[in-house]
Amino acid sequence: MPSGLIALALGGFGIGLTEFLIAGLLPQVASSFAVSEAAAGWLISGYALSVAVGAIALTAATARLPRKHILVGLVALFVIGNLLSAVAPNYQVMLLGRIVAALCHGSFFGIGSLVARSLVAPEKKSQAVAVMFAGLTVANVLGVPFGALVGERWGWRAAFWAVTAIGLLALAGIAALVPSWAGRVRPAAAAGRAAGAGAERMPPGGLAQQLRAFRSWQVWLTLLATALSYGGMFGAFSYIAYTFTEVSGFASEDVAWLLMVYGVGLVVGNLVGGRAADRDRALVLALLGLALTLALFGLLAESGTASVVLVFLMGVTGFASVPGMITRVTDFAHGAALAASANVSASNVGNALGAWLGGVAISAGLGYTAPLYVGAGIVLMSVAVMVVAAQRVRSSQATDRVPAR
């Protein structure tokens, strides 16, 4: 694997830590700034909203810039945001730091996935995307316990200083190890890529051309499938602690290690998806696996053993489709960075939708397993969308093979 991929993965790890560690620090932050739990919660929800907005806005604004330079700038923005959080004298500055750090999130993974693809041979593009996302999945495993541990020993500000340091390392790594031509060659041009010589160049990436990528129905279908798949998984995951404690019979202190089991599943799913995600059939199977896992989880949640196994499988099947979805949307968008970033925005929109629907189900008195069933239903809609998308591809290929008369 090219060393530039490791630098991208380190950047993904830092961004993932920033997203997840705050959950373990909220009580300390709320106490430090004398704000309510609801106000402290905006440090999470405000981050998510900024991700959705920043993914589109920053990618569109930087459409004509070299992609390596964009990545360096995005990581610099990430460092500034976390530095603001680390030194924040009040809640308002803390929230500003969270928003600034979040703005880079979507664009980094959108543009970074295109850069990662260009560093390897065409048949390894999904694996390259999976390597970059490995940093995010590992952060999901370590983020909450990392924040809680560092915050308990050295205070919540130390956690943000640590993430700032990781950001600086990622910044140096991307600047030094990612080649300047990365992201500006077509995936089909494998020969001579290591030196950037003889590779077929992509056309200019202006905003108008980026927007033309959205004329493709396949791009829209993939974005919809992404939103639905994330919505189903996140709708269930948002209330999983209640499922563990109120249905499965676990103690509240067990939730942390159970979430780590889920995080390990994400890492495994990312690796599996990176190897098999270039085919639509693999995406459909991964989504069907997620829907089945969520439904079984709802049925068997009263069993502690089954809950441990199923939350692991929930992570595996939930993330197995992620590298393939990003690869698919960028393939049909002909490498448009805006489409790749839109995929990240779609996932965050899906997260919000799934969490809302799961909450509605609980409020309706359907119990703490209801979000699992709701999630399964949402994912089944994603399966239907992917089946339609795959059929349209096959129909188009069949038409292309018909000889002209």
Side-chain angles (χ1 to χ4, degrees):
M1 283 293 175
S3 55
L5 277 180
I6 306 303
L8 292 173
L10 181 59
F13 177 67
I15 292 174
L17 277 183
T18 296
E19 181 178 14
F20 300 121
L21 66 79
I22 188 65
L25 298 173
L26 274 186
Q28 290 188 41
V29 174
S31 174
S32 177
F33 293 133
V35 297
S36 67
E37 291 84 353
W42 272 102
L43 298 174
I44 296 176
S45 54
Y47 185 98
L49 290 173
S50 297
V51 170
V53 173
I56 301 296
L58 286 183
T59 304
T62 58
R64 289 192 174 277
L65 298 179
R67 286 174 177 168
K68 175 182 177 177
H69 296 172
I70 298 171
L71 288 177
V72 170
L74 290 172
V75 178
L77 192 65
F78 166 79
V79 170
I80 292 170
N82 281 284
L83 185 60
L84 277 175
S85 295
V87 302
N90 53 50
Y91 170 79
Q92 289 76 16
V93 175
M94 176 73 175
L95 181 59
L96 175 63
R98 292 287 292 167
I99 291 172
V100 170
L103 288 174
C104 78
H105 184 125
S107 292
F108 179 86
F109 285 109
I111 296 171
S113 65
L114 298 177
V115 171
R117 287 160 52 108
S118 71
L119 296 176
V120 299
E123 66 273 11
K124 294 183 179 294
K125 57 189 177 184
S126 283
Q127 293 182 42
V129 173
V131 169
M132 190 193 73
F133 271 84
L136 178 63
T137 57
V138 171
N140 199 306
V141 179
L142 300 178
V144 174
F146 172 84
L149 178 63
V150 173
E152 181 181 346
R153 294 197 174 186
W154 298 289
W156 64 265
R157 294 182 188 275
F160 285 96
W161 279 113
V163 175
T164 300
I166 292 172
L168 288 171
L169 287 175
L171 180 65
I174 291 172
L177 301 176
V178 173
S180 59
W181 51 262
R184 295 190 290 116
V185 297
R186 292 190 184 278
R193 182 179 295 134
E200 183 184 1
R201 298 290 172 179
M202 283 185 173
L207 181 58
Q209 182 174 349
Q210 300 265 340
L211 291 173
R212 281 198 291 272
F214 291 93
R215 295 177 180 177
S216 168
W217 273 105
Q218 290 294 338
V219 169
W220 285 106
L221 288 171
T222 310
L223 293 177
L224 179 58
T226 295
L228 291 171
S229 62
Y230 268 87
M233 181 176 68
F234 202 78
F237 177 73
S238 297
Y239 306 96
I240 200 71
Y242 293 103
T243 306
F244 285 140
T245 57
E246 303 298 327
V247 181
S248 304
F250 289 102
S252 57
E253 54 265 27
D254 292 324
V255 172
W257 70 262
L258 288 166
L259 293 180
M260 291 188 70
V261 171
Y262 169 77
V264 172
L266 293 180
V267 174
V268 174
N270 182 57
L271 295 175
V272 172
R275 292 184 176 275
D278 284 331
R279 296 170 297 177
D280 286 346
R281 181 180 298 178
L283 290 174
V284 171
L285 289 175
L287 295 173
L288 278 173
L290 176 59
L292 179 61
T293 299
L294 294 175
L296 284 175
F297 201 164
L299 289 171
L300 304 176
E302 292 184 0
S303 167
T305 301
S307 295
V308 174
V309 173
L310 288 166
V311 78
F312 171 76
L313 292 177
M314 181 177 158
V316 173
T317 55
F319 223 82
S321 64
V322 172
M325 286 294 190
I326 293 180
T327 300
R328 192 178 199 280
V329 77
T330 48
D331 279 348
F332 283 104
H334 304 292
L338 191 59
S341 296
N343 197 72
V344 180
S345 289
S347 67
N348 278 271
V349 171
N351 290 351
L353 174 66
W356 175 69
L357 290 175
V360 169
I362 292 174
S363 299
L366 300 178
Y368 289 116
T369 59
L372 292 164
Y373 294 118
V374 170
I378 297 173
V379 175
L380 283 177
M381 288 191 284
S382 180
V383 172
V385 172
M386 273 307 306
V387 168
V388 171
Q391 287 177 341
R392 289 177 68 95
V393 170
R394 286 196 295 269
S395 297
S396 176
Q397 291 172 342
T399 301
D400 291 341
R401 286 195 295 266
V402 174
R405 292 184 181 272

